[in-house]
Amino acid sequence: MDAPPIPTIPGIAIPALLEAPSPWSTLEEVAATIAGCRKCFLCQGRTRTVPGEGNPEARLMFVGEGPGQTEDETGRPFVGRAGELLTKMIEAIDLEREQVFIANVVKCRPPQNRKPLPDEIAACAPYLERQIGLIRPAVLVALGATAAEAMLGAKRSLTDLRGRVHSYRGIPLVVTYHPAALLRNPNWKKPTWDDIRIARQLLDR
């Protein structure tokens, strides 16, 4: 099946930040700070922090909403059923999970897997920002509305955010459904497959 063309509809553009000194010079330093972070309520119920994992020089980076129960227990992102589906999606575009980087907007599990609150997202924002700055991926994929809204600073429907290529600090960003949503509604698998193939085309440019 032919891949869909790269959308030409203009997306949201988040400008690059002015270069400023950072307290973290490596991904390991970011992860160590996250491990001791107590900036928001989520730290009270966590088993482990989930900073993210993958290739520190990844050209493709996925960003989800937040850890679930399995992630909280293991300290690794996307290792439950949704994670298995994400791995299959990555392999379907001829990549291995070890080649990409996978992270979440918040690094601790919200209670009962609820949506992270604005103050929780804000508390974790510097960590994600620095991870992206250190990795410098060629393409970003936001998995789900929460991740898309957090990264693009826009509260819009997923339908409105899909179908266009946004720009995050100069990096092309594609928005698609969260793998957990695909487990609930298989009808979203086809549009997600389209989005992932658009990201792959951007990667190949």
Side-chain angles (χ1 to χ4, degrees), residues 13-204:
I14 302 299
L17 292 172
L18 294 175
E19 288 293 332
S22 171
W24 312 297
S25 59
T26 67
L27 291 172
E28 290 77 14
E29 290 178 3
V30 179
T33 302
I34 291 170
C37 181
R38 304 194 66 81
K39 292 198 296 182
C40 79
F41 166 79
L42 295 184
C43 70
Q44 298 179 23
R46 73 187 179 210
T47 303
R48 296 189 182 187
T49 55
V50 186
E53 68 177 23
N55 185 348
E57 298 180 351
R59 299 189 65 243
L60 180 61
M61 181 172 177
F62 292 89
V63 180
E65 177 177 304
Q69 181 178 347
T70 307
E71 290 77 13
D72 177 66
E73 292 170 351
T74 62
R76 299 181 58 213
F78 284 88
V79 291
R81 289 180 63 216
E84 292 173 0
L85 184 52
L86 178 59
T87 299
K88 291 178 181 178
M89 290 160 55
I90 294 167
E91 292 172 347
I93 54 171
D94 298 321
L95 293 172
E96 299 294 328
R97 184 179 168 115
E98 293 75 18
Q99 292 178 272
V100 307
F101 197 92
I102 304 170
N104 283 302
V105 169
V106 297
K107 313 301 188 181
C108 298
R109 180 194 181 194
Q112 287 76 53
N113 294 350
R114 65 158 168 75
K115 180 178 177 180
L117 301 177
D119 66 307
E120 295 162 354
I121 293 173
C124 270
Y127 304 141
L128 179 61
E129 184 84 47
R130 186 56 178 155
Q131 287 175 319
I132 295 172
L134 288 166
I135 297 165
R136 299 186 181 277
V139 179
L140 287 159
V141 176
L143 300 168
T146 299
E149 291 171 10
M151 298 179 75
L152 294 172
K155 192 168 182 60
R156 299 188 188 177
S157 70
L158 202 64
T159 301
D160 187 40
L161 292 172
R162 286 186 59 253
R164 60 192 71 202
V165 178
H166 307 280
S167 176
Y168 179 86
R169 317 294 190 209
I171 303 171
L173 184 151
V174 174
V175 175
T176 194
Y177 292 95
H178 193 286
L182 307 184
L183 296 174
R184 297 190 298 267
N185 190 339
N187 292 330
W188 289 334
K189 288 186 177 181
K190 171 59 170 63
T192 302
W193 175 227
D194 288 343
D195 298 333
I196 294 298
R197 288 186 293 170
I198 288 170
R200 176 71 213 207
Q201 291 178 76
L202 291 168
L203 201 62
D204 290 338

Side-chain angles (χ1 to χ4, degrees), residues 1-15:
M1 189 181 298
D2 292 337
I6 295 174
T8 57
I9 303 172
I12 298 169
I14 302 299

